[in-house]
Each structure stands twice: as C-alpha cells, then as structure tokens.
Amino acid sequence: MTYRMPAWLREKIIELDGTCRYPHCGRPASECQIDHLVKFVHQDPITGGWTVEFNLMPLCTPDHQRKHMGLLIPTMLSDRAVVWRDPVSGETITTYPR
C-alpha cells in the first residue's frame, strides 16, 4: 500500500467528483488536493486509509484543513455521495459528485 496515488487515479477522482466535496464549495476538483477519507496509516499501511477510489475525494485547501480539524466528519456511500456529520449537533449534510 502506498500513500501517493498514480496520476491516472488522481484524474479519475477529479473526473468522478467534479468539484470540492466539502459542503457549499464549488471549487473545481482540478484545483483541489485529493484527500483520504480514512487517514492513511504511514506506520502500518495495511491497517487502513488505503489509496483507492472509495477512500479518496477532492478537497480545496481550506476545506481540507476544516476536515482535518474535525468540524465535519465524512462518510462516503457507494454512489460517491459523502455524508458530512457535525460531531457536536449530529446534523448531517450530503454532497454529491457534480
């Protein structure tokens, strides 16, 4: 398992999602970082956070930081919808590929 993704996988994620996947953001995916939903475990990559399609999404730099601050917790569904849950209120908002 590797942290870095091949260029073809980055392009596929950009094509699949279209924009930053954080709620209320429309920045083009081509201008975003590709982030692991489940954090990549550098010390033991087999345990999780794999660099595979169902664990990757585009996030612009500010929204990437928000995600890592834990303001909203993402879960990706099989259709690539991402359910974002507020850990304090429990409220959710769902984003979809565009």
Side-chain angles (χ1 to χ4, degrees):
M1 295 284 136
T2 63
Y3 178 74
R4 300 243 180 248
M5 74 193 71
W8 67 265
L9 182 55
R10 175 180 168 72
E11 292 305 315
K12 183 173 184 178
I13 299 302
I14 289 169
E15 182 180 322
L16 286 170
D17 290 317
T19 61
C20 173
R21 295 304 304 279
Y22 204 83
H24 311 297
C25 186
R27 184 175 298 266
S30 60
E31 298 175 12
C32 294
Q33 301 167 2
I34 305 300
D35 184 51
H36 291 80
L37 274 84
V38 176
K39 187 176 180 178
F40 185 85
V41 181
H42 290 273
Q43 299 79 7
D44 189 7
I46 297 299
T47 62
W50 297 351
T51 305
V52 294
E53 183 179 320
F54 60 83
N55 191 42
L56 298 169
M57 67 179 167
L59 291 174
C60 67
T61 300
D63 290 335
H64 192 171
Q65 293 303 315
R66 286 183 191 93
K67 180 214 169 220
H68 286 290
M69 290 170 33
L71 301 177
L72 295 174
I73 311 299
T75 301
M76 185 178 288
L77 306 179
S78 61
D79 64 354
R80 293 196 64 78
V82 178
V83 178
W84 295 87
R85 182 182 55 80
D86 182 316
V88 176
S89 71
E91 293 181 35
T92 63
I93 187 167
T94 304
T95 63
Y96 300 91
R98 299 184 190 155

